[in-house]
Amino acid sequence: MSTGEQIGKRVVNQNSKRLATGLSFLAFFMAFTATAVLMVGDEFGKVNLIYLLLLFVLLPLFSLGLTLYCAVFNTPFNVTNLLLNFPFWPSAWLDSLSVLKRSQLQRPWLFYQGQKLALIFSVASLLAFFSLLLVSDVTFVWRSTLLSAEQLYPLLKMIAQPWFFIEAGQPLMLQVESSQDSRLILNTDLAITGVWWRFIFLSQCFYVIFPRFLLLVWGYRNFKKASAAHRADDQDKDIIAHGISPASEVVQLQEICCDTLNVADSIVLNWSILPAQLKTRLFSQFGEPLQLYNIGALAADNEVQAALQDSRKKLILVAAWEPPMGELEDIMRETSGTLLVLDWNEEGFKAVESQHLDEWRRFCFQLKNWQFQQLEGLQ
């Protein structure tokens, strides 16, 4: 593997790890804050048990069911994607997902991260729960206009079935009745409802921690397996690439355009993971583009369509060490322009290595409506 490719992969790995760490901190903050808000209670220190059931039981059950459904039916939806839609993630971190998608690693990575975030959410919720129990005088009550104790008790018993063998964690009808707080009922025996903390804790253990830990192990193994398969595929491609006779390549390589590049008269379609500082350096030396579209794996469909429908001169930026993808070829067959191949390291731009240059020239040779450009004098 070439030095440029190694550097590129290392940058992608670092950014994906930073993104995973950022997601973990966000999940912890959201869970801790939500639980703390619910545990504050009213002015009398009464915490609504039904709200806690929504956070600690119903939401985890819904999330777990959705995860299992998506895994069984192989659907692309993942809860982690919802967190990725927040606008504060650095673009370089999000660009690492584009590379994961092109390597067929994005879905197993997202699944693995989803299980980890669910465990972090549970741990943060329990940490806030027990922290506030230790420092505040909390009384658990439930309020409902429609539900009665006789209706709520069977639901709680059904929820507690997985730990039927732990008697201290089973709800009792007396506890349900004594925890009801209503304007119509004057209840002076609310203090005994402190036993509800065991019910909440066991709910998290059986509905989040145990199943999510198993899914986390399974997701981690799948991600490692997919990563190993991708590395083996890269090795096979290297062997094939080095085994091709140079004489057979000559007629298959696209000519390199010798015209002076003027980015200012083009719209730029960004397929690469070009760092922001290098993008600024490129545009400052060769001109600011008329428009910049992202067409990589994270680009929205409407942005890709807008780029294709734009009739102005097009310039696509790609990273030299990345293998040409069929998805990129599909986009290029619908329009025309210039393909610009770039290589870089931590210090800045560098010359494109010959094997990468030839690979992209072979790719571009089949697309007659595209020119191939290699920059000279790029600092």
Short mmCIF file of all heavy atoms in Angstrom, two decimals, residues 292-328:
data_model
loop_
_atom_site.label_atom_id
_atom_site.label_comp_id
_atom_site.label_asym_id
_atom_site.label_seq_id
_atom_site.Cartn_x
_atom_site.Cartn_y
_atom_site.Cartn_z
N LEU A 292 -20.38 25.10 -5.27
CA LEU A 292 -19.79 23.89 -4.72
C LEU A 292 -20.91 22.94 -4.31
O LEU A 292 -21.77 23.30 -3.51
CB LEU A 292 -18.89 24.20 -3.52
CG LEU A 292 -18.26 23.00 -2.81
CD1 LEU A 292 -17.29 22.28 -3.75
CD2 LEU A 292 -17.55 23.43 -1.54
N TYR A 293 -20.90 21.74 -4.90
CA TYR A 293 -21.88 20.71 -4.55
C TYR A 293 -21.14 19.52 -3.93
O TYR A 293 -20.06 19.14 -4.38
CB TYR A 293 -22.63 20.21 -5.78
CG TYR A 293 -23.50 21.23 -6.46
CD1 TYR A 293 -23.05 21.92 -7.59
CD2 TYR A 293 -24.79 21.49 -6.01
CE1 TYR A 293 -23.86 22.85 -8.24
CE2 TYR A 293 -25.60 22.41 -6.65
CZ TYR A 293 -25.13 23.08 -7.76
OH TYR A 293 -25.93 23.99 -8.40
N ASN A 294 -21.73 18.93 -2.91
CA ASN A 294 -21.23 17.66 -2.38
C ASN A 294 -21.98 16.52 -3.05
O ASN A 294 -23.22 16.50 -3.05
CB ASN A 294 -21.42 17.61 -0.86
CG ASN A 294 -20.51 18.57 -0.13
OD1 ASN A 294 -19.33 18.64 -0.41
ND2 ASN A 294 -21.07 19.33 0.80
N ILE A 295 -21.26 15.58 -3.60
CA ILE A 295 -21.90 14.44 -4.28
C ILE A 295 -21.43 13.12 -3.69
O ILE A 295 -21.66 12.06 -4.27
CB ILE A 295 -21.64 14.47 -5.79
CG1 ILE A 295 -20.13 14.36 -6.08
CG2 ILE A 295 -22.24 15.70 -6.43
CD1 ILE A 295 -19.81 14.14 -7.54
N GLY A 296 -20.74 13.16 -2.54
CA GLY A 296 -20.25 11.94 -1.91
C GLY A 296 -21.35 11.18 -1.23
O GLY A 296 -22.55 11.44 -1.41
N ALA A 297 -20.94 10.23 -0.38
CA ALA A 297 -21.91 9.32 0.24
C ALA A 297 -22.88 10.03 1.16
O ALA A 297 -24.02 9.60 1.33
CB ALA A 297 -21.15 8.24 1.02
N LEU A 298 -22.46 11.15 1.79
CA LEU A 298 -23.33 11.86 2.72
C LEU A 298 -24.21 12.90 2.05
O LEU A 298 -25.05 13.51 2.70
CB LEU A 298 -22.49 12.53 3.81
CG LEU A 298 -21.84 11.59 4.83
CD1 LEU A 298 -21.04 12.40 5.82
CD2 LEU A 298 -22.88 10.76 5.54
N ALA A 299 -24.01 13.11 0.76
CA ALA A 299 -24.78 14.14 0.07
C ALA A 299 -26.23 13.72 -0.06
O ALA A 299 -26.55 12.56 -0.31
CB ALA A 299 -24.18 14.40 -1.31
N ALA A 300 -27.12 14.68 0.13
CA ALA A 300 -28.55 14.41 -0.03
C ALA A 300 -28.87 14.23 -1.51
O ALA A 300 -28.20 14.79 -2.39
CB ALA A 300 -29.36 15.57 0.55
N ASP A 301 -29.92 13.46 -1.80
CA ASP A 301 -30.29 13.18 -3.19
C ASP A 301 -30.61 14.46 -3.95
O ASP A 301 -30.29 14.59 -5.13
CB ASP A 301 -31.50 12.23 -3.22
CG ASP A 301 -31.12 10.83 -2.75
OD1 ASP A 301 -29.93 10.50 -2.78
OD2 ASP A 301 -32.04 10.09 -2.36
N ASN A 302 -31.26 15.41 -3.26
CA ASN A 302 -31.62 16.66 -3.96
C ASN A 302 -30.39 17.47 -4.33
O ASN A 302 -30.38 18.17 -5.35
CB ASN A 302 -32.58 17.49 -3.10
CG ASN A 302 -32.00 17.83 -1.74
OD1 ASN A 302 -31.00 17.26 -1.33
ND2 ASN A 302 -32.63 18.74 -1.03
N GLU A 303 -29.30 17.38 -3.52
CA GLU A 303 -28.08 18.10 -3.87
C GLU A 303 -27.40 17.46 -5.07
O GLU A 303 -26.89 18.17 -5.95
CB GLU A 303 -27.12 18.12 -2.67
CG GLU A 303 -25.90 18.99 -2.91
CD GLU A 303 -25.03 19.17 -1.67
OE1 GLU A 303 -25.28 18.46 -0.68
OE2 GLU A 303 -24.12 20.00 -1.70
N VAL A 304 -27.39 16.13 -5.13
CA VAL A 304 -26.81 15.44 -6.28
C VAL A 304 -27.60 15.78 -7.54
O VAL A 304 -27.02 16.06 -8.60
CB VAL A 304 -26.79 13.92 -6.05
CG1 VAL A 304 -26.29 13.20 -7.29
CG2 VAL A 304 -25.91 13.58 -4.85
N GLN A 305 -28.94 15.78 -7.45
CA GLN A 305 -29.76 16.11 -8.61
C GLN A 305 -29.55 17.55 -9.06
O GLN A 305 -29.51 17.85 -10.25
CB GLN A 305 -31.24 15.87 -8.28
CG GLN A 305 -31.61 14.40 -8.16
CD GLN A 305 -31.29 13.61 -9.42
OE1 GLN A 305 -31.56 14.08 -10.54
NE2 GLN A 305 -30.73 12.42 -9.26
N ALA A 306 -29.39 18.44 -8.08
CA ALA A 306 -29.14 19.84 -8.43
C ALA A 306 -27.82 19.99 -9.16
O ALA A 306 -27.69 20.78 -10.11
CB ALA A 306 -29.15 20.70 -7.16
N ALA A 307 -26.81 19.23 -8.74
CA ALA A 307 -25.51 19.28 -9.40
C ALA A 307 -25.60 18.76 -10.83
O ALA A 307 -25.00 19.32 -11.75
CB ALA A 307 -24.49 18.47 -8.61
N LEU A 308 -26.37 17.69 -11.03
CA LEU A 308 -26.51 17.12 -12.37
C LEU A 308 -27.29 18.04 -13.30
O LEU A 308 -27.03 18.10 -14.50
CB LEU A 308 -27.20 15.75 -12.28
CG LEU A 308 -26.39 14.64 -11.59
CD1 LEU A 308 -27.23 13.37 -11.47
CD2 LEU A 308 -25.11 14.35 -12.36
N GLN A 309 -28.25 18.76 -12.73
CA GLN A 309 -29.09 19.63 -13.56
C GLN A 309 -28.42 20.97 -13.85
O GLN A 309 -28.86 21.71 -14.73
CB GLN A 309 -30.43 19.86 -12.86
CG GLN A 309 -31.28 18.60 -12.78
CD GLN A 309 -32.51 18.77 -11.90
OE1 GLN A 309 -32.79 19.88 -11.43
NE2 GLN A 309 -33.23 17.69 -11.68
N ASP A 310 -27.36 21.30 -13.12
CA ASP A 310 -26.64 22.54 -13.36
C ASP A 310 -25.86 22.40 -14.68
O ASP A 310 -25.01 21.51 -14.83
CB ASP A 310 -25.67 22.81 -12.20
CG ASP A 310 -25.20 24.26 -12.18
OD1 ASP A 310 -24.95 24.81 -13.26
OD2 ASP A 310 -25.08 24.82 -11.07
N SER A 311 -26.12 23.26 -15.62
CA SER A 311 -25.54 23.12 -16.97
C SER A 311 -24.15 23.74 -17.10
O SER A 311 -23.53 23.63 -18.16
CB SER A 311 -26.49 23.78 -17.99
OG SER A 311 -26.67 25.15 -17.70
N ARG A 312 -23.65 24.37 -16.07
CA ARG A 312 -22.35 25.01 -16.16
C ARG A 312 -21.21 23.98 -16.17
O ARG A 312 -21.41 22.81 -15.83
CB ARG A 312 -22.18 26.00 -15.00
CG ARG A 312 -23.08 27.22 -15.11
CD ARG A 312 -23.01 28.10 -13.88
NE ARG A 312 -23.63 27.48 -12.71
CZ ARG A 312 -23.74 28.06 -11.52
NH1 ARG A 312 -23.26 29.30 -11.36
NH2 ARG A 312 -24.31 27.43 -10.52
N LYS A 313 -20.03 24.43 -16.54
CA LYS A 313 -18.86 23.56 -16.62
C LYS A 313 -18.57 22.93 -15.27
O LYS A 313 -18.57 23.61 -14.24
CB LYS A 313 -17.66 24.39 -17.09
CG LYS A 313 -16.38 23.60 -17.27
CD LYS A 313 -15.26 24.52 -17.73
CE LYS A 313 -13.95 23.76 -17.84
NZ LYS A 313 -12.84 24.66 -18.26
N LYS A 314 -18.28 21.64 -15.27
CA LYS A 314 -18.15 20.89 -14.02
C LYS A 314 -16.71 20.42 -13.80
O LYS A 314 -16.01 20.07 -14.75
CB LYS A 314 -19.09 19.68 -14.01
CG LYS A 314 -20.57 20.06 -14.05
CD LYS A 314 -21.44 18.82 -14.07
CE LYS A 314 -22.91 19.21 -14.03
NZ LYS A 314 -23.33 19.98 -15.21
N LEU A 315 -16.34 20.37 -12.51
CA LEU A 315 -15.04 19.87 -12.10
C LEU A 315 -15.25 18.99 -10.88
O LEU A 315 -15.75 19.44 -9.85
CB LEU A 315 -14.09 21.03 -11.75
CG LEU A 315 -12.71 20.64 -11.21
CD1 LEU A 315 -11.86 20.04 -12.32
CD2 LEU A 315 -12.00 21.85 -10.60
N ILE A 316 -14.90 17.70 -10.99
CA ILE A 316 -15.06 16.76 -9.88
C ILE A 316 -13.72 16.56 -9.18
O ILE A 316 -12.70 16.31 -9.83
CB ILE A 316 -15.60 15.41 -10.38
CG1 ILE A 316 -17.04 15.55 -10.86
CG2 ILE A 316 -15.54 14.36 -9.28
CD1 ILE A 316 -17.69 14.25 -11.27
N LEU A 317 -13.72 16.68 -7.85
CA LEU A 317 -12.53 16.45 -7.04
C LEU A 317 -12.59 15.04 -6.45
O LEU A 317 -13.57 14.68 -5.81
CB LEU A 317 -12.45 17.47 -5.90
CG LEU A 317 -12.48 18.95 -6.26
CD1 LEU A 317 -12.35 19.80 -5.00
CD2 LEU A 317 -11.39 19.29 -7.25
N VAL A 318 -11.52 14.26 -6.66
CA VAL A 318 -11.44 12.92 -6.10
C VAL A 318 -10.08 12.73 -5.44
O VAL A 318 -9.11 13.38 -5.81
CB VAL A 318 -11.66 11.81 -7.17
CG1 VAL A 318 -13.06 11.90 -7.75
CG2 VAL A 318 -10.61 11.91 -8.26
N ALA A 319 -10.03 11.85 -4.44
CA ALA A 319 -8.77 11.51 -3.78
C ALA A 319 -8.07 10.41 -4.58
O ALA A 319 -8.70 9.41 -4.95
CB ALA A 319 -9.02 11.06 -2.35
N ALA A 320 -6.78 10.57 -4.81
CA ALA A 320 -6.05 9.66 -5.70
C ALA A 320 -6.07 8.23 -5.21
O ALA A 320 -6.20 7.29 -6.00
CB ALA A 320 -4.60 10.15 -5.86
N TRP A 321 -5.96 8.02 -3.89
CA TRP A 321 -5.80 6.65 -3.37
C TRP A 321 -7.13 5.89 -3.28
O TRP A 321 -7.14 4.70 -3.07
CB TRP A 321 -5.14 6.69 -2.00
CG TRP A 321 -5.94 7.42 -0.97
CD1 TRP A 321 -6.95 6.92 -0.21
CD2 TRP A 321 -5.80 8.78 -0.59
NE1 TRP A 321 -7.46 7.89 0.62
CE2 TRP A 321 -6.76 9.04 0.42
CE3 TRP A 321 -4.95 9.80 -0.99
CZ2 TRP A 321 -6.89 10.30 1.01
CZ3 TRP A 321 -5.08 11.04 -0.38
CH2 TRP A 321 -6.04 11.28 0.60
N GLU A 322 -8.25 6.60 -3.42
CA GLU A 322 -9.54 5.92 -3.35
C GLU A 322 -9.81 5.19 -4.67
O GLU A 322 -9.58 5.74 -5.74
CB GLU A 322 -10.66 6.91 -3.07
CG GLU A 322 -10.61 7.54 -1.70
CD GLU A 322 -11.77 8.49 -1.47
OE1 GLU A 322 -12.68 8.51 -2.33
OE2 GLU A 322 -11.76 9.20 -0.45
N PRO A 323 -10.33 3.98 -4.61
CA PRO A 323 -10.65 3.28 -5.86
C PRO A 323 -11.86 3.91 -6.54
O PRO A 323 -12.80 4.35 -5.86
CB PRO A 323 -10.97 1.85 -5.38
CG PRO A 323 -11.41 2.01 -3.96
CD PRO A 323 -10.61 3.16 -3.41
N PRO A 324 -11.87 4.02 -7.85
CA PRO A 324 -13.05 4.54 -8.57
C PRO A 324 -14.28 3.69 -8.26
O PRO A 324 -14.21 2.46 -8.25
CB PRO A 324 -12.64 4.43 -10.05
CG PRO A 324 -11.14 4.39 -10.03
CD PRO A 324 -10.76 3.68 -8.77
N MET A 325 -15.38 4.35 -8.00
CA MET A 325 -16.61 3.67 -7.59
C MET A 325 -17.66 3.71 -8.69
O MET A 325 -17.73 4.65 -9.48
CB MET A 325 -17.18 4.33 -6.33
CG MET A 325 -16.24 4.32 -5.13
SD MET A 325 -15.91 2.66 -4.50
CE MET A 325 -17.53 2.21 -3.92
N GLY A 326 -18.48 2.66 -8.73
CA GLY A 326 -19.57 2.61 -9.70
C GLY A 326 -20.57 3.72 -9.49
O GLY A 326 -21.17 4.23 -10.45
N GLU A 327 -20.78 4.13 -8.25
CA GLU A 327 -21.71 5.22 -7.96
C GLU A 327 -21.22 6.53 -8.59
O GLU A 327 -22.02 7.30 -9.14
CB GLU A 327 -21.84 5.38 -6.44
CG GLU A 327 -22.85 6.43 -6.01
CD GLU A 327 -22.96 6.54 -4.50
OE1 GLU A 327 -22.32 5.71 -3.79
OE2 GLU A 327 -23.66 7.44 -4.02
N LEU A 328 -19.91 6.77 -8.51
CA LEU A 328 -19.35 7.95 -9.15
C LEU A 328 -19.48 7.85 -10.67
O LEU A 328 -19.81 8.84 -11.35
CB LEU A 328 -17.88 8.11 -8.76
CG LEU A 328 -17.11 9.26 -9.43
CD1 LEU A 328 -17.75 10.61 -9.11
CD2 LEU A 328 -15.64 9.24 -9.01
#
